[in-house]
Amino acid sequence: MDVTDRELLSLLRENARLPVATLAKSLGVARGTVQNRLARMEKDGTIIGYTVKLKPQAEDQRIRALMTVAVEGNRTDEVLRALRGDPAVSALHTTNGRWDIVAELRSDSLEAVDRVLSRIRLIDGISSTETSLLLSTHKF
């Protein structure tokens, strides 16, 4: 991946619906170059899809939180399996440092967040958690 590929991906992150001609003009390359690069990145798995970003107010589960999780011993796989089964968990990340897992949570009310936190804290293998509500997003 070179500088042009990274610039192309940056433009697509901002607006995946930009026409190829607009992308080419922004990058200072031919349309065919953009088409070939997109085809290559799709084929090699660099680009795995295109999506729609919704403003938070348009989503049903508008309340978002990050929960950091400390796991007892070597029980990370067991805890991950339990977290994957929870409908409020939208993504999971393993990490290093003090916390073993970061769970992205989504809910439709603060009361529902409270229920989710209580439910997750009961999972065997979790020694402690810390949760932060996401108030606003500045770059997406």
Side-chain angles (χ1 to χ4, degrees), residues 112-137:
V113 170
D114 187 36
R115 289 190 299 274
V116 169
L117 299 181
S118 297
R119 185 170 65 234
I120 289 175
R121 289 179 182 135
L122 293 175
I123 295 173
D124 285 337
I126 292 179
S127 62
S128 64
T129 66
E130 184 175 303
T131 304
S132 297
L133 294 177
L134 300 177
L135 302 177
S136 62
T137 300

Side-chain angles (χ1 to χ4, degrees), residues 75-86 92:
R75 301 180 74 181
T76 302
D77 289 341
E78 177 184 338
V79 171
L80 285 169
R81 273 192 300 278
L83 289 169
R84 275 189 203 103
D86 194 300
L92 292 167

